[in-house]
Amino acid sequence: MAVFEKLSQPIRIGNIEIKSRVAMAPMNTLFELLTGGLVNDYITAFYVARARGGFGLLYTGAIIGTRLADTMPYFTN
């Protein structure tokens, strides 16, 4: 399957080389809720696992760094 073989090959975008052509779309894991909205070991491990698994480009999930986060229905202080 020649099409899928290309996915694991590096690609150059401008002057940056990305190790594979597989990208992960942004998503919220809500792991930040475990530490009051802060980055923590769970979030770090989530992205490290995907990078080691072969993703060349990772878009991180949304983070609301203002008081607006307090108004979100899933956020608890």
Side-chain angles (χ1 to χ4, degrees):
M1 302 214 170
V3 175
F4 295 113
E5 290 172 11
K6 286 249 184 212
L7 289 175
S8 62
Q9 295 177 358
I11 187 170
R12 183 166 285 284
I13 300 175
N15 60 355
I16 296 174
E17 184 172 287
I18 298 174
K19 74 174 186 174
S20 77
R21 299 169 188 226
V22 180
M24 185 182 89
M27 62 186 75
N28 286 339
T29 61
L30 300 181
F31 287 144
E32 68 276 4
L33 297 180
L34 301 171
T35 53
L38 303 175
V39 174
N40 56 55
D41 291 341
Y42 295 100
I43 294 170
T44 303
F46 177 82
Y47 289 112
V48 167
R50 273 124 194 99
R52 287 185 180 151
F55 284 97
L57 184 63
L58 299 170
Y59 293 91
T60 59
I63 300 287
I64 301 175
T66 66
R67 291 180 190 258
L68 179 63
D70 289 336
T71 66
M72 298 295 141
Y74 59 81
F75 192 84
T76 58
N77 273 338

